[in-house]
């Protein structure tokens, strides 16, 4: 079916007049918007369905979300026949999120499904927690994470509180695509809606404290200067409340950014991975003598942490560095408490630093590795229940979780943990940054860089596809002066040993369009198209050994130069 034919299907009475008028205008004026809005259907990626809001099959709107929700309703009825089905729904601060949330609730209740709907916007991890806490069959959250304001999205959670994975994801998608737009039931039944709010916040925050805090005597809690910003997102209420309840008394908020807004007026991008997003918070920390700066993304699952570096300046840590210090601290506490038996594990992903494999080995536990996305760590937890105890997990994209009470990355619990760690460090006469260097002295120094190559629209998608083909068929022989010794192809599920040309099958990880190159000196380069954004990502990890803070300073320069050389060699 051509793009024009698909568009003309939306000119019927199934669709509202405004939608019909927009499409007819595009057809009449031969607008480029028609092609981009209808050339494909939105797909579920690592973070669910995400796209620009607007008219068309390639846009987030009443009809594409309605189709997704009707398909989910149909699937739930097949999986839980004869049962009372419950679905929790949350939404973030984005434009239209609240309306989309109620619309999804209407579709579910029109299909006889009970809905637990948050009264106002809430963080994604609270939705994950609520699914299990309220014994729901599934959950939905309307969010586009840290994407620009024109985006929104839709994530589905299963009854374990984790995002859907095989076989449920593929089966739900089949149900979704089998739904015709005129089959969507939009006339909801409000009698089947249970509204939830502040009382659920209290239960969630208590669980965060229970799973994230270790110092019973609250060492240094009252002497830590914290600066926090929600960057206009959902944590404007929950995180300050959690910090206060936990006993942290010196908390300064970036007031301008504690106002929830889907337009994110004070930043270009509400992404705590980017130093610019935390600029106002870091400026405030310079005034208040802050020890630690923390910011969260709009739906409150990611967090960025900035601390004082060796020169006393506030510096944003990368995601791997954040997770390194949090993971090491937790495992130290577990070891002190005699809780490590060898049957524990931590979770990581294929694009995350390999330092977590080394940390797990030091403490005598396993590090399980999954595909990109916390849904795979959620799957690890579910499959290991009764046999292994999950301690914590993280991925390089500024996501971390402690314990298994939430089955998704969770900024609230992670913030409590980070603040306790910072307080403990300060009470012991060192900074978080120095603590990180001590870990590198023990484990080895890893340093990472991320390169995003953006290619928008249909032609961009084709460019990204061709780039992956080129890297797959013509892998580099050498990167940054070191020979490539192994190529892992997760689409073929094979590992090629370059030295002896032997190819082996990689078991246990589902197929994914990802390539990883390892070089002789331990450099790791991962190539992966984003599942939710129009970009291809290059994750670079380099490493060395250090013995002192001065050593760290010198090796940091060397490793940064090496990452730049990787970029040059791959022509990025």
């Amino acid at each position: 079916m051509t793009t024009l034919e698909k568009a003309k299907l939306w000119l019927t009475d199934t669709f509202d007049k405004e939608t019909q008028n927009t499409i007819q205008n595009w057809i009449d004026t031969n607008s480029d918007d028609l092609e981009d809005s209808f050339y494909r259907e939105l797909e579920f990626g690592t973070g669910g369905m995400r796209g620009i809001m607007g008219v068309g099959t390639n846009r987030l709107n009443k009809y594409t979300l309605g189709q997704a929700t009707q398909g989910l309703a149909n699937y739930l009825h097949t999986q839980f026949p004869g049962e009372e089905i419950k679905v929790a729904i949350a939404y973030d601060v984005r434009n239209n999120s609240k309306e989309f949330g109620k619309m999804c609730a209407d579709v579910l209740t029109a299909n006889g499904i009970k809905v637990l709907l948050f009264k106002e916007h809430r963080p994604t991890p609270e939705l994950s927690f609520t699914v299990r806490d309220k014994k729901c069959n599934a959950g939905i959250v309307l969010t586009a994470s840290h994407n620009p304001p024109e985006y929104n999205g839709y994530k589905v959670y299963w009854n374990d509180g984790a995002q859907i994975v095989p076989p449920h994801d593929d089966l739900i998608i089949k149900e979704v695509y089998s739904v015709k737009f005129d089959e969507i039931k939009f006339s909801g039944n409000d009698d089947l809606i249970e509204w939830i709010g502040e009382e659920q916040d209290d239960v969630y925050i208590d669980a965060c404290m229970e799973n994230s805090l270790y110092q019973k005597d609250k060492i240094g809690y009252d002497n830590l200067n914290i600066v926090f910003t929600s960057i206009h997102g959902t944590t404007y209420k929950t995180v300050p409340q959690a910090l206060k309840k936990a006993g942290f008394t010196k908390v300064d908020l970036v007031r301008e950014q504690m106002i929830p807004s889907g337009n994110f007026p004070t930043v270009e991008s509400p992404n705590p991975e980017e130093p610019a997003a935390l600029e106002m918070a870091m400026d405030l920390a310079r005034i208040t003598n802050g020890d630690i700066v923390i910011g969260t993304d709009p739906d409150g699952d990611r967090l960025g942490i900035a601390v004082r570096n060796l020169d006393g300046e506030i510096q944003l840590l990368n995601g791997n560095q954040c997770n390194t210090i949090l993971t090491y601290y937790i495992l130290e506490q577990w070891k002190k408490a005699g809780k490590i038996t060898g049957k524990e594990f931590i979770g990581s992903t294929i694009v995350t630093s390999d330092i977590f494999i080394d940390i797990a080995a030091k403490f005598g536990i396993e590090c399980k590795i999954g595909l990109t996305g916390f849904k795979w760590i959620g799957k690890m937890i579910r499959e290991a229940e009764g046999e292994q105890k999950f301690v914590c997990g993280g991925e390089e994209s500024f996501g971390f979780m402690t314990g298994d009470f939430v089955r998704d990355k969770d900024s609230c619990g992670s913030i409590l943990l980070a603040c306790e760690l910072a307080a403990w460090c300060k009470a012991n006469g060192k900074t978080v940054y120095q603590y990180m260097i001590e870990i590198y002295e023990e484990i080895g120094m890893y340093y990472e860089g991320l390169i995003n190559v953006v290619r928008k629209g249909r032609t961009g998608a084709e460019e990204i596809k061709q780039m992956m083909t080129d890297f797959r068929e013509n892998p580099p022989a050498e990167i940054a002066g070191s020979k490539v010794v192994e190529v892992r192809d997760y689409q073929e599920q094979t590992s090629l040993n370059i030295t002896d040309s032997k190819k082996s099958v990689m078991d246990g990880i589902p197929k994914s369009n990802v390539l990883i190159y390892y070089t002789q000196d331990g450099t790791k380069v991962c190539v992966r198209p984003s599942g939710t954004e129009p970009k291809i990502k290059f994750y670079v990890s380099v490493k060395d050994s250090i013995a002192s803070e001065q050593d760290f300073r010198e090796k940091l320069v060397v490793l940064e130069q090496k990452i730049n050389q990787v970029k040059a060699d791959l022509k990025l």
Side-chain angles (χ1 to χ4, degrees):
M1 187 181 294
T2 67
T3 300
L4 180 60
E5 288 170 337
K6 283 204 289 185
K8 285 183 175 180
L9 294 177
W10 283 49
L11 295 176
T12 66
D13 289 341
T14 297
F15 303 89
D16 62 80
K17 288 297 180 184
E18 186 178 351
T19 294
Q20 294 180 52
N21 291 340
T22 298
I23 295 169
Q24 189 61 57
N25 181 59
W26 287 344
I27 294 172
D28 293 342
T29 59
N30 199 26
S31 172
D32 291 339
D33 290 331
L34 187 75
E35 174 71 15
D36 199 40
S37 298
F38 281 97
Y39 82 89
R40 66 170 186 172
E41 282 75 35
L42 284 178
E43 297 175 354
F44 278 78
T46 55
M49 184 170 69
R50 196 181 299 179
I52 295 170
M53 290 178 280
V55 172
T57 57
N58 189 33
R59 295 287 184 263
L60 251 292
N61 52 62
K62 172 182 178 179
Y63 303 102
T64 52
L65 288 171
Q67 184 185 46
T69 309
Q70 183 64 55
L72 174 63
N74 294 346
Y75 184 70
L76 287 169
H77 281 300
T78 68
Q79 293 296 297
F80 305 102
E83 297 182 30
E84 180 194 53
I85 301 172
K86 292 195 298 183
V87 177
I89 299 179
Y91 47 89
D92 70 4
V93 301
R94 288 183 173 273
N95 298 325
N96 301 316
S97 280
K98 186 170 187 175
E99 293 77 11
F100 285 158
K102 179 59 166 65
M103 185 274 297
C104 291
D106 287 342
V107 173
L108 291 174
T109 59
N111 283 274
I113 294 172
K114 182 175 179 179
V115 172
L116 281 66
L117 181 61
F118 278 97
K119 297 173 186 175
E120 295 293 340
H121 27 66
R122 286 298 187 279
T124 289
E126 187 169 352
L127 180 279
S128 170
F129 171 79
T130 299
V131 168
R132 295 180 71 234
D133 182 59
K134 295 290 191 179
K135 296 180 173 56
C136 295
N137 303 86
I140 296 170
V141 62
L142 283 306
T143 177
S145 186
H146 56 276
N147 280 52
E150 64 268 25
Y151 280 78
N152 214 317
Y154 180 94
K155 293 199 288 191
V156 178
Y157 291 74
W158 203 239
N159 56 11
D160 62 341
Q163 288 184 55
I164 52 171
V165 294
H168 297 302
D169 55 356
D170 292 332
L171 294 172
I172 289 171
I173 291 167
K174 284 180 182 176
E175 287 283 357
V176 169
Y177 289 150
S178 70
V179 172
K180 295 181 176 62
F181 290 110
D182 61 3
E183 295 173 343
I184 304 169
K185 299 176 182 177
F186 284 113
S187 300
N189 176 5
D190 284 355
D191 291 341
L192 289 177
I193 294 178
E194 177 185 336
W195 297 91
I196 54 178
E198 290 79 5
E199 73 291 341
Q200 189 65 10
D201 297 343
D202 292 334
V203 180
Y204 165 64
I205 288 169
D206 286 346
C208 287
M209 291 171 56
E210 182 182 342
N211 284 271
S212 304
L213 300 176
Y214 293 89
Q215 306 293 343
K216 301 301 180 188
D217 48 1
K218 300 187 176 183
I219 298 171
Y221 276 32
D222 59 351
N223 193 36
L224 182 71
N225 297 318
I226 302 166
V227 173
F228 174 72
T229 174
S230 64
I231 318 181
H232 304 289
T234 55
T235 59
Y236 70 97
K237 187 180 292 184
T238 51
V239 168
Q241 184 180 335
L243 288 169
K244 182 179 180 181
K245 197 168 187 177
F248 296 100
T249 57
K250 297 181 177 180
V251 182
D252 289 295
L253 306 175
V254 183
R255 295 293 175 185
E256 303 95 321
Q257 295 183 330
M258 299 303 286
I259 302 168
S261 170
N263 295 319
F264 316 114
T266 64
V267 293
E268 284 190 21
S269 169
N271 185 357
E273 296 180 55
E274 300 171 8
L278 291 181
E279 190 173 339
M280 292 179 72
M282 291 193 281
D283 285 345
L284 180 58
R286 294 180 186 105
I287 296 170
T288 63
N289 197 30
D291 298 303
I292 185 169
V293 172
I294 301 172
T296 57
D297 67 345
D299 69 318
D301 55 0
R302 297 170 194 252
L303 76 158
I305 298 174
V307 295
R308 300 275 174 183
N309 63 20
L310 293 178
D311 298 317
E313 298 168 351
I314 292 288
Q315 179 179 323
L316 179 65
L317 301 178
N318 69 38
N320 286 302
Q321 291 171 329
C322 291
N323 294 348
T324 293
I325 58 176
L326 297 179
T327 300
Y328 200 93
Y329 176 76
I330 290 175
L331 291 176
E332 276 193 319
Q333 302 310 311
W334 277 53
K335 186 175 181 180
K336 285 178 185 175
K339 292 168 63 179
I340 293 181
T341 66
K343 291 186 177 181
E344 295 76 29
F345 76 95
I346 60 175
S348 186
T349 74
I350 58 176
V351 301
T352 300
S353 173
D354 287 349
I355 193 172
F356 298 101
I357 299 171
D358 297 345
I359 291 174
K362 172 180 168 53
F363 287 95
I365 65 172
E366 183 183 359
C367 177
K368 294 180 186 286
I369 308 290
L371 293 177
T372 309
F374 258 75
K375 63 182 183 180
W376 301 109
I377 296 178
K379 183 172 184 282
M380 294 172 195
I381 297 171
R382 184 176 68 248
E383 292 178 345
E385 281 177 334
E387 296 180 6
Q388 286 178 291
K389 178 68 176 175
F390 175 74
V391 181
C392 62
E395 62 179 355
E396 57 75 40
S397 58
F398 287 61
F400 194 78
M401 63 191 288
T402 68
D404 61 2
F405 72 106
V406 170
R407 300 294 173 94
D408 206 344
K409 50 186 175 284
D410 174 29
S411 70
C412 187
S414 302
I415 287 168
L416 293 177
L417 178 69
C419 288
E420 177 177 281
L421 166 60
W424 177 84
C425 284
K426 189 174 183 179
N428 283 278
K430 58 187 167 188
T431 66
V432 172
Y433 204 81
Q434 289 173 313
Y435 180 73
M436 179 183 74
I437 293 171
E438 289 175 2
I439 297 170
Y440 287 154
E441 290 173 13
E442 177 74 27
I443 301 292
M445 180 178 173
Y446 285 74
Y447 191 67
E448 297 81 28
L450 173 63
I451 305 112
N452 289 311
V453 178
V454 178
R455 295 289 185 269
K456 294 184 178 180
R458 185 172 195 163
T459 56
E462 291 169 355
E463 282 184 60
I464 290 172
K465 184 178 179 181
Q466 186 59 48
M467 289 175 75
M468 287 302 298
T469 298
D470 293 342
F471 276 108
R472 182 167 278 115
E473 295 180 353
N474 303 291
E478 189 176 280
I479 300 175
S482 182
K483 288 183 179 179
V484 174
V485 294
E486 183 186 5
V487 179
R488 296 183 184 178
D489 188 332
Y490 287 85
Q491 186 160 282
E492 291 185 358
Q493 294 181 307
T494 59
S495 171
L496 174 64
N497 186 317
I498 302 296
T499 308
D500 58 15
S501 298
K502 286 186 178 178
K503 188 177 281 190
S504 57
V505 176
M506 296 188 297
D507 295 324
I509 293 183
K511 287 185 178 183
S512 185
N513 189 17
V514 180
L515 293 167
I516 296 181
Y517 307 121
Y518 279 99
T519 72
Q520 209 161 32
D521 66 0
T523 296
K524 173 186 176 184
V525 179
C526 176
V527 188
R528 169 186 167 264
S530 172
T532 54
E533 299 173 274
K535 62 176 65 171
I536 182 169
K537 297 185 174 186
F538 296 82
Y539 307 80
V540 183
S541 177
V542 292
K543 65 178 184 178
D544 209 328
S545 58
I546 61 169
S548 65
E549 287 184 4
Q550 183 57 35
D551 218 5
F552 171 83
R553 286 181 185 272
E554 294 170 0
K555 292 291 177 66
L556 183 60
V557 175
V558 173
L559 294 179
E560 285 178 338
Q561 290 173 344
K562 195 170 208 176
I563 288 177
N564 287 332
Q565 187 59 52
V566 172
K567 293 180 185 178
D569 288 353
L570 297 181
K571 297 179 173 59
L572 301 177

